[in-house]
């Protein structure tokens, strides 16, 4: 298929899409419902997004489900979210595995219940060899936490003599972060109308294209995803270089 025949959102498909799934609470409030029903509705949007990214051939999808700062929410909401994560894990993993999805959890999982952590480890183990969409779910994740953990690991290596501080470079740091082995996100989407990163992938967002939309996360459907992908296809990514001119102008 030539570029002309390809739907515009597929001309230049991002290899790695990262999503800040925001707006569940407001979605519920607008319907006069409690916040937890917004979170529950958000799971459906996760399912649709994962399926569609897999079908389109996106290689990596990273979803921000719960931030390190979200621990400060009311206890009821946190407990409800943890229950929802466990339910979703138990309900979805078999189908994800069938669809060849490789699942990984990133974040400080130490505050999660043993049961949830075990479920996450089992899901990672089950899907480890899958070769389809690589799906990272960020839980208890903070970009700063991630960088501090990497710094600690590198400092330990320096102390034990296996790393020369003079040799430390960006690759060392990348390789010590939670997303080691994944390319940086090309496209970062935030739903829910806020235009901020809220401590998500701070290191990795260096050259991500940032797409902010007002759609509340539970309403984020395949059309909304395709809008983001179409927008991405129209971006010129320069990475600090100058714009690329068409061949005839350049010669
Ligand atoms: C995102 O939706 C889900 C989590 C942060 C867990 P919110 O719960 O932040 O929804 P709003 O922003 O209050 O609408
Ligand atoms: C960001 O949303 C975190 C997730 C979507 C998991 P928040 O709702 O926590 O972010 P702020 O508080 O509006 O910055
Ligand atoms: Mg929010």
């Amino acid at each position: 298929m030539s570029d002309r025949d390809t739907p515009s959102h597929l001309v230049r498909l991002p290899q790695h899409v990262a999503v800040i799934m925001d707006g569940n609470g407001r979605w519920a409030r607008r319907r006069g419902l409690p916040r937890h029903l917004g979170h529950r509705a958000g799971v459906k949007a996760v399912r649709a997004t994962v399926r569609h990214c897999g079908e389109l051939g996106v290689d990596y999808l990273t979803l921000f489900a719960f931030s390190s700062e979200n621990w400060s929410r009311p206890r009821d909401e946190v407990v409800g979210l943890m229950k929802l994560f466990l339910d979703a894990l138990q309900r979805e993993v078999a189908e994800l595995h069938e669809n060849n999805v490789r699942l990984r959890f990133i974040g400080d999982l130490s505050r999660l219940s043993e049961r949830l952590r075990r479920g996450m480890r089992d899901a990672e183990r089950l899907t480890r060899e899958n070769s389809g969409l690589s799906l990272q779910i960020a839980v208890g994740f903070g970009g700063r936490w991630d960088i501090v953990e990497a710094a600690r690991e590198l400092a330990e290596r320096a102390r034990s003599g296996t790393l020369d501080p003079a040799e430390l470079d960006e690759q060392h740091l990348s390789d010590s972060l939670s997303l080691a082995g994944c390319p940086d996100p090309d496209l970062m989407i935030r739903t829910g109308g806020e235009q901020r990163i809220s401590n998500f992938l701070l290191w990795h967002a260096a050259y991500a294209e940032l797409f902010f939309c007002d759609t509340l996360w539970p309403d984020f459907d395949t059309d909304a995803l395709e809008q983001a992908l179409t927008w991405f296809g129209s971006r010129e990514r320069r990475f600090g270089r100058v714009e690329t001119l068409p061949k005839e102008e350049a010669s």
Side-chain angles (χ1 to χ4, degrees):
M1 203 161 36
S2 78
D3 266 12
R4 236 179 354 171
D5 306 320
T6 313
S8 57
H9 63 280
L10 297 181
V11 170
R12 221 153 36 89
L13 192 66
Q15 191 187 12
H16 185 171
V17 177
V19 189
I20 302 174
M21 309 184 289
D22 194 27
N24 295 349
R26 278 162 287 162
W27 183 93
R29 197 177 58 218
R30 283 181 197 175
R31 286 165 176 73
L33 299 170
R35 290 178 62 84
H36 77 265
L37 292 184
H39 295 313
R40 184 168 296 276
V43 177
K44 280 196 199 135
V46 171
R47 205 179 292 133
T49 302
V50 170
R51 188 179 331 108
H52 202 50
C53 282
E55 284 165 1
L56 292 175
V58 169
D59 292 327
Y60 299 87
L61 174 65
T62 301
L63 300 177
F64 201 9
F66 189 82
S67 74
S68 33
E69 290 72 30
N70 290 151
W71 286 111
S72 309
R73 292 193 175 194
R75 195 183 129 75
D76 278 4
E77 179 166 351
V78 172
V79 169
L81 277 164
M82 294 302 141
K83 191 171 172 322
L84 192 63
F85 293 153
L86 188 61
D87 286 353
L89 194 63
Q90 288 168 342
R91 243 177 309 114
E92 307 292 337
V93 167
E95 190 178 328
L96 290 171
H97 185 44
E98 257 172 51
N99 291 332
N100 201 20
V101 173
R102 179 166 176 264
L103 194 56
R104 203 143 57 108
F105 294 92
I106 60 168
D108 179 3
L109 306 182
S110 65
R111 289 176 72 176
L112 305 181
S113 70
E114 177 50 33
R115 199 160 163 225
L116 186 50
R117 268 184 289 156
R118 198 176 336 110
M120 289 172 164
R121 272 198 308 268
D122 290 347
E124 288 179 337
R125 205 172 306 126
L126 177 73
T127 61
R128 195 168 41 198
E129 306 295 332
N130 289 345
S131 56
L133 176 73
S134 178
L135 173 62
Q136 291 66 236
I137 312 261
V139 181
F141 181 88
R144 288 183 172 180
W145 165 84
D146 201 17
I147 292 169
V148 168
E149 288 300 302
R152 193 195 323 279
E153 183 195 313
L154 293 167
E156 287 294 348
R157 283 173 54 193
R159 188 171 59 174
S160 67
T162 58
L163 174 71
D164 175 358
E167 310 256 288
L168 183 67
D169 60 13
E170 292 187 5
Q171 195 60 47
H172 283 107
L173 206 100
S174 270
D175 290 346
S176 304
L177 292 165
S178 305
L179 283 184
C182 294
D184 285 347
D186 305 290
L187 169 64
M188 188 183 282
I189 298 170
R190 180 172 185 142
T191 64
E194 308 293 358
Q195 304 202 352
R196 52 178 174 252
I197 294 182
S198 297
N199 198 18
F200 192 25
L201 299 168
L202 299 182
W203 171 273
H204 312 83
Y207 270 102
E209 299 294 329
L210 306 177
F211 182 85
F212 299 104
C213 63
D214 290 334
T215 310
L216 301 173
W217 176 250
D219 292 328
F220 192 81
D221 56 12
T222 52
D223 283 352
L225 175 61
E226 295 204 356
Q227 258 177 43
L229 295 174
T230 301
W231 175 84
F232 175 80
S234 74
R235 306 306 301 158
E236 188 195 7
R237 306 188 74 196
R238 288 189 290 278
F239 300 98
R241 295 188 288 258
V242 292
E243 68 181 311
T244 33
L245 295 170
K247 270 209 183 82
E248 56 272 29
E249 285 178 51
S251 60

